[in-house]
């Protein structure tokens, strides 16, 4: 079978996951489009048979709850997919297995998977600058290999499911408990943070406020603030978490790419 097109469907609050997914799609040589699931709120139908590059980041060892909900808006029928799990170059947890579990309910059939080390949003010393140009070249080459395998297959189910690496942590997500906050004295009221917040917990007309009950600490708002008025709560505990993560770091890690035979 040969898909006529590809679709990137990524929950990517800070952009790294989407960058990896785009590189995979580019490598297929197919015409492709993109669905921004971090900010889109409508259902996302995909034509049956389209190659879907389905991506999400890991937070606390798992795909975030909001990410799972947004990925659930994709629906198709018997479409091959590449699962892309981006993690902060430390521990991918069971994020790839979360995506595998979601796929059948979306009408997707996994044929390949990517574990992509990227810059850690909470501990930026880990994976700094990733995905690099070399990383993206690897993902493009893998996209080409996936497209070739699909062309050579007689049918979608002639390809075996990708053999996923074992999960590296328990199934339960580690709740770190950080939320975003703003220094009202520093805020210039531009509203950039409100436009980027996947959870919609920052009012556009009062962007110095945050609904912390809905915030999951994704840090998208922090990354776009032009005056650095936004930060994570509890800086002393955050510093301790960063020190612990850096001390135990065993990176940099290589991308892991798997495909069914």
């Amino acid at each position: 079978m040969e898909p006529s097109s590809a679709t990137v469907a990524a929950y990517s609050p800070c952009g790294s996951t989407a960058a990896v997914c785009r590189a995979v799609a580019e490598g297929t040589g197919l015409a492709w489009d993109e669905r921004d699931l971090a900010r889109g709120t409508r259902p996302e139908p995909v034509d049956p048979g389209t190659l879907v590059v389905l991506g999400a980041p890991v937070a606390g060892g798992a795909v975030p709850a909001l990410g799972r909900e947004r990925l659930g808006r994709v629906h198709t029928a018997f479409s091959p997919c590449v699962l892309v799990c981006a993690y902060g170059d430390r521990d991918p947890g069971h994020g790839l297995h979360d995506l595998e579990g979601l796929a059948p309910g979306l009408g997707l059939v996994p044929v390949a998977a990517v574990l992509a080390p990227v810059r850690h949003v909470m501990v930026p010393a880990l994976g700094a600058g990733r995905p690099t140009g070399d990383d993206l070249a690897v993902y493009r080459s893998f996209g080409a290999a996936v497209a070739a395998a699909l062309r050579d297959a007689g049918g979608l189910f002639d390809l075996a499911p990708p053999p996923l690496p074992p999960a590296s942590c328990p199934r339960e997500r580690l709740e770190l408990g950080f939320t975003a906050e703003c220094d009202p004295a520093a805020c210039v009221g531009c509203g950039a943070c409100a436009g980027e917040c996947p959870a919609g917990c920052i009012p556009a007309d009062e962007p110095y406020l945050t609904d912390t009950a809905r915030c999951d600490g994704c840090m998208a708002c922090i990354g776009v603030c032009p005056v650095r008025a936004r930060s994570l709560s509890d800086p002393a505990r955050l510093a301790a978490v960063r020190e612990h993560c850096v001390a135990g770091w065993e990176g940099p890690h290589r991308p892991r790419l798997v495909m069914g035979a």
Side-chain angles (χ1 to χ4, degrees), residues 51 75 94-95 103 109 119 129 141 148 151 155 176-177 182 192 197 206 210 219 245 252 260-261:
L51 174 61
H75 55 93
H94 52 79
V109 180
R119 176 181 175 270
S141 294
R151 284 195 299 270
L176 296 176
C182 182
C197 177
E206 296 178 299
T210 305
M219 297 183 61
C245 289

PDB file of all heavy atoms in Angstrom, residues 51 75 94-95 103 109 119 129 141 148 151 155 176-177 182 192 197 206 210 219 245 252 260-261:
ATOM      1  N   LEU A  51      -1.136   8.458   6.083  1.00  0.00           N
ATOM      2  CA  LEU A  51      -0.098   8.166   7.066  1.00  0.00           C
ATOM      3  C   LEU A  51      -0.113   9.262   8.122  1.00  0.00           C
ATOM      4  O   LEU A  51       0.091  10.444   7.808  1.00  0.00           O
ATOM      5  CB  LEU A  51       1.275   8.101   6.401  1.00  0.00           C
ATOM      6  CG  LEU A  51       2.474   7.952   7.345  1.00  0.00           C
ATOM      7  CD1 LEU A  51       2.383   6.664   8.154  1.00  0.00           C
ATOM      8  CD2 LEU A  51       3.782   8.021   6.575  1.00  0.00           C
ATOM      9  N   HIS A  75      -9.539  11.333  14.417  1.00  0.00           N
ATOM     10  CA  HIS A  75     -10.277  10.097  14.101  1.00  0.00           C
ATOM     11  C   HIS A  75     -10.179   9.806  12.605  1.00  0.00           C
ATOM     12  O   HIS A  75     -10.280  10.691  11.761  1.00  0.00           O
ATOM     13  CB  HIS A  75     -11.733  10.162  14.564  1.00  0.00           C
ATOM     14  CG  HIS A  75     -12.518  11.330  14.049  1.00  0.00           C
ATOM     15  ND1 HIS A  75     -13.280  11.279  12.914  1.00  0.00           N
ATOM     16  CD2 HIS A  75     -12.665  12.585  14.532  1.00  0.00           C
ATOM     17  CE1 HIS A  75     -13.876  12.443  12.715  1.00  0.00           C
ATOM     18  NE2 HIS A  75     -13.513  13.262  13.669  1.00  0.00           N
ATOM     19  N   HIS A  94       6.800   5.790  30.140  1.00  0.00           N
ATOM     20  CA  HIS A  94       5.972   4.884  29.326  1.00  0.00           C
ATOM     21  C   HIS A  94       5.165   5.680  28.303  1.00  0.00           C
ATOM     22  O   HIS A  94       4.094   5.267  27.856  1.00  0.00           O
ATOM     23  CB  HIS A  94       5.049   4.030  30.206  1.00  0.00           C
ATOM     24  CG  HIS A  94       4.219   4.801  31.192  1.00  0.00           C
ATOM     25  ND1 HIS A  94       3.086   5.472  30.854  1.00  0.00           N
ATOM     26  CD2 HIS A  94       4.393   5.012  32.511  1.00  0.00           C
ATOM     27  CE1 HIS A  94       2.564   6.054  31.919  1.00  0.00           C
ATOM     28  NE2 HIS A  94       3.341   5.804  32.939  1.00  0.00           N
ATOM     29  N   GLY A  95       5.724   6.835  27.887  1.00  0.00           N
ATOM     30  CA  GLY A  95       5.008   7.686  26.945  1.00  0.00           C
ATOM     31  C   GLY A  95       4.703   7.014  25.624  1.00  0.00           C
ATOM     32  O   GLY A  95       3.608   7.166  25.070  1.00  0.00           O
ATOM     33  N   ALA A 103      -3.836   4.563  20.029  1.00  0.00           N
ATOM     34  CA  ALA A 103      -3.951   4.450  18.572  1.00  0.00           C
ATOM     35  C   ALA A 103      -5.186   3.691  18.087  1.00  0.00           C
ATOM     36  O   ALA A 103      -5.893   4.185  17.194  1.00  0.00           O
ATOM     37  CB  ALA A 103      -2.672   3.829  17.999  1.00  0.00           C
ATOM     38  N   VAL A 109      -3.229   2.410  12.946  1.00  0.00           N
ATOM     39  CA  VAL A 109      -2.494   1.150  13.023  1.00  0.00           C
ATOM     40  C   VAL A 109      -1.000   1.496  13.074  1.00  0.00           C
ATOM     41  O   VAL A 109      -0.419   1.910  12.062  1.00  0.00           O
ATOM     42  CB  VAL A 109      -2.784   0.250  11.802  1.00  0.00           C
ATOM     43  CG1 VAL A 109      -2.001  -1.062  11.919  1.00  0.00           C
ATOM     44  CG2 VAL A 109      -4.281  -0.010  11.681  1.00  0.00           C
ATOM     45  N   ARG A 119      15.106  18.938  24.162  1.00  0.00           N
ATOM     46  CA  ARG A 119      15.449  19.797  25.296  1.00  0.00           C
ATOM     47  C   ARG A 119      14.428  19.617  26.412  1.00  0.00           C
ATOM     48  O   ARG A 119      13.231  19.653  26.198  1.00  0.00           O
ATOM     49  CB  ARG A 119      15.477  21.255  24.853  1.00  0.00           C
ATOM     50  CG  ARG A 119      15.724  22.259  25.971  1.00  0.00           C
ATOM     51  CD  ARG A 119      15.707  23.675  25.410  1.00  0.00           C
ATOM     52  NE  ARG A 119      15.815  24.681  26.438  1.00  0.00           N
ATOM     53  CZ  ARG A 119      14.773  25.233  27.059  1.00  0.00           C
ATOM     54  NH1 ARG A 119      13.544  24.838  26.750  1.00  0.00           N
ATOM     55  NH2 ARG A 119      14.956  26.158  27.982  1.00  0.00           N
ATOM     56  N   GLY A 129      19.476  22.459  23.021  1.00  0.00           N
ATOM     57  CA  GLY A 129      19.605  22.578  21.578  1.00  0.00           C
ATOM     58  C   GLY A 129      18.985  21.457  20.769  1.00  0.00           C
ATOM     59  O   GLY A 129      19.072  21.470  19.537  1.00  0.00           O
ATOM     60  N   SER A 141      15.329  10.617   7.497  1.00  0.00           N
ATOM     61  CA  SER A 141      15.723   9.331   6.905  1.00  0.00           C
ATOM     62  C   SER A 141      14.780   8.220   7.347  1.00  0.00           C
ATOM     63  O   SER A 141      14.437   7.328   6.549  1.00  0.00           O
ATOM     64  CB  SER A 141      17.160   8.990   7.303  1.00  0.00           C
ATOM     65  OG  SER A 141      18.068   9.903   6.737  1.00  0.00           O
ATOM     66  N   ALA A 148       8.950   3.752   2.365  1.00  0.00           N
ATOM     67  CA  ALA A 148       9.378   2.651   1.501  1.00  0.00           C
ATOM     68  C   ALA A 148       8.766   1.328   1.959  1.00  0.00           C
ATOM     69  O   ALA A 148       8.334   0.507   1.135  1.00  0.00           O
ATOM     70  CB  ALA A 148      10.900   2.559   1.489  1.00  0.00           C
ATOM     71  N   ARG A 151       5.177   1.189   0.906  1.00  0.00           N
ATOM     72  CA  ARG A 151       5.055   0.937  -0.540  1.00  0.00           C
ATOM     73  C   ARG A 151       5.271  -0.532  -0.873  1.00  0.00           C
ATOM     74  O   ARG A 151       4.622  -1.090  -1.762  1.00  0.00           O
ATOM     75  CB  ARG A 151       6.067   1.791  -1.313  1.00  0.00           C
ATOM     76  CG  ARG A 151       5.695   3.249  -1.450  1.00  0.00           C
ATOM     77  CD  ARG A 151       6.548   3.936  -2.513  1.00  0.00           C
ATOM     78  NE  ARG A 151       7.967   3.896  -2.176  1.00  0.00           N
ATOM     79  CZ  ARG A 151       8.587   4.827  -1.469  1.00  0.00           C
ATOM     80  NH1 ARG A 151       7.913   5.863  -1.011  1.00  0.00           N
ATOM     81  NH2 ARG A 151       9.874   4.731  -1.214  1.00  0.00           N
ATOM     82  N   GLY A 155      -0.362  -4.932   1.992  1.00  0.00           N
ATOM     83  CA  GLY A 155      -1.488  -4.317   2.687  1.00  0.00           C
ATOM     84  C   GLY A 155      -1.032  -3.816   4.036  1.00  0.00           C
ATOM     85  O   GLY A 155       0.051  -4.174   4.525  1.00  0.00           O
ATOM     86  N   LEU A 176       4.545  16.315  39.640  1.00  0.00           N
ATOM     87  CA  LEU A 176       5.536  17.188  40.255  1.00  0.00           C
ATOM     88  C   LEU A 176       4.898  18.376  40.952  1.00  0.00           C
ATOM     89  O   LEU A 176       5.491  18.967  41.856  1.00  0.00           O
ATOM     90  CB  LEU A 176       6.533  17.669  39.196  1.00  0.00           C
ATOM     91  CG  LEU A 176       7.378  16.564  38.559  1.00  0.00           C
ATOM     92  CD1 LEU A 176       8.256  17.132  37.449  1.00  0.00           C
ATOM     93  CD2 LEU A 176       8.247  15.891  39.616  1.00  0.00           C
ATOM     94  N   GLY A 177       3.700  18.754  40.538  1.00  0.00           N
ATOM     95  CA  GLY A 177       2.964  19.784  41.249  1.00  0.00           C
ATOM     96  C   GLY A 177       3.354  21.216  40.940  1.00  0.00           C
ATOM     97  O   GLY A 177       2.915  22.145  41.634  1.00  0.00           O
ATOM     98  N   CYS A 182       2.915  34.365  37.358  1.00  0.00           N
ATOM     99  CA  CYS A 182       3.357  35.586  36.695  1.00  0.00           C
ATOM    100  C   CYS A 182       3.645  36.670  37.725  1.00  0.00           C
ATOM    101  O   CYS A 182       2.921  36.798  38.730  1.00  0.00           O
ATOM    102  CB  CYS A 182       2.287  36.060  35.716  1.00  0.00           C
ATOM    103  SG  CYS A 182       2.741  37.538  34.777  1.00  0.00           S
ATOM    104  N   ALA A 192       0.809  37.190  24.833  1.00  0.00           N
ATOM    105  CA  ALA A 192       1.426  36.079  24.099  1.00  0.00           C
ATOM    106  C   ALA A 192       1.227  34.758  24.833  1.00  0.00           C
ATOM    107  O   ALA A 192       0.990  33.718  24.218  1.00  0.00           O
ATOM    108  CB  ALA A 192       2.915  36.349  23.886  1.00  0.00           C
ATOM    109  N   CYS A 197      -1.165  29.007  25.681  1.00  0.00           N
ATOM    110  CA  CYS A 197      -1.540  28.067  26.746  1.00  0.00           C
ATOM    111  C   CYS A 197      -2.498  26.994  26.239  1.00  0.00           C
ATOM    112  O   CYS A 197      -3.633  27.301  25.858  1.00  0.00           O
ATOM    113  CB  CYS A 197      -2.188  28.823  27.899  1.00  0.00           C
ATOM    114  SG  CYS A 197      -2.767  27.740  29.226  1.00  0.00           S
ATOM    115  N   GLU A 206      -6.353  39.643  30.944  1.00  0.00           N
ATOM    116  CA  GLU A 206      -5.630  39.769  32.215  1.00  0.00           C
ATOM    117  C   GLU A 206      -4.530  38.704  32.270  1.00  0.00           C
ATOM    118  O   GLU A 206      -4.567  37.788  33.089  1.00  0.00           O
ATOM    119  CB  GLU A 206      -6.583  39.602  33.404  1.00  0.00           C
ATOM    120  CG  GLU A 206      -7.653  40.676  33.512  1.00  0.00           C
ATOM    121  CD  GLU A 206      -8.593  40.442  34.681  1.00  0.00           C
ATOM    122  OE1 GLU A 206      -9.261  39.385  34.695  1.00  0.00           O
ATOM    123  OE2 GLU A 206      -8.656  41.302  35.570  1.00  0.00           O
ATOM    124  N   THR A 210      -3.382  33.370  36.333  1.00  0.00           N
ATOM    125  CA  THR A 210      -3.312  31.975  35.891  1.00  0.00           C
ATOM    126  C   THR A 210      -4.288  31.153  36.719  1.00  0.00           C
ATOM    127  O   THR A 210      -4.285  31.235  37.956  1.00  0.00           O
ATOM    128  CB  THR A 210      -1.902  31.381  36.081  1.00  0.00           C
ATOM    129  OG1 THR A 210      -0.941  32.202  35.428  1.00  0.00           O
ATOM    130  CG2 THR A 210      -1.829  29.962  35.520  1.00  0.00           C
ATOM    131  N   MET A 219       4.790  24.808  30.614  1.00  0.00           N
ATOM    132  CA  MET A 219       5.788  25.858  30.424  1.00  0.00           C
ATOM    133  C   MET A 219       5.734  26.530  29.058  1.00  0.00           C
ATOM    134  O   MET A 219       6.628  27.287  28.693  1.00  0.00           O
ATOM    135  CB  MET A 219       7.203  25.348  30.713  1.00  0.00           C
ATOM    136  CG  MET A 219       7.401  24.909  32.138  1.00  0.00           C
ATOM    137  SD  MET A 219       9.090  24.381  32.530  1.00  0.00           S
ATOM    138  CE  MET A 219      10.033  25.855  32.199  1.00  0.00           C
ATOM    139  N   CYS A 245      18.129  16.074  38.794  1.00  0.00           N
ATOM    140  CA  CYS A 245      18.078  15.561  37.419  1.00  0.00           C
ATOM    141  C   CYS A 245      19.439  15.652  36.740  1.00  0.00           C
ATOM    142  O   CYS A 245      19.860  14.720  36.045  1.00  0.00           O
ATOM    143  CB  CYS A 245      17.039  16.329  36.619  1.00  0.00           C
ATOM    144  SG  CYS A 245      15.333  15.970  37.091  1.00  0.00           S
ATOM    145  N   PRO A 252      24.151  12.485  26.564  1.00  0.00           N
ATOM    146  CA  PRO A 252      22.987  12.603  25.680  1.00  0.00           C
ATOM    147  C   PRO A 252      22.575  11.261  25.088  1.00  0.00           C
ATOM    148  O   PRO A 252      23.415  10.394  24.858  1.00  0.00           O
ATOM    149  CB  PRO A 252      23.464  13.568  24.590  1.00  0.00           C
ATOM    150  CG  PRO A 252      24.949  13.385  24.552  1.00  0.00           C
ATOM    151  CD  PRO A 252      25.369  13.085  25.946  1.00  0.00           C
ATOM    152  N   GLY A 260       8.003  -2.204  12.370  1.00  0.00           N
ATOM    153  CA  GLY A 260       7.616  -3.587  12.241  1.00  0.00           C
ATOM    154  C   GLY A 260       8.243  -4.237  11.032  1.00  0.00           C
ATOM    155  O   GLY A 260       8.524  -3.573  10.024  1.00  0.00           O
ATOM    156  N   ALA A 261       8.485  -5.522  11.130  1.00  0.00           N
ATOM    157  CA  ALA A 261       9.137  -6.237  10.014  1.00  0.00           C
ATOM    158  C   ALA A 261       8.141  -6.465   8.881  1.00  0.00           C
ATOM    159  O   ALA A 261       6.947  -6.594   9.102  1.00  0.00           O
ATOM    160  CB  ALA A 261       9.658  -7.567  10.525  1.00  0.00           C
TER     161      ALA A 261
END
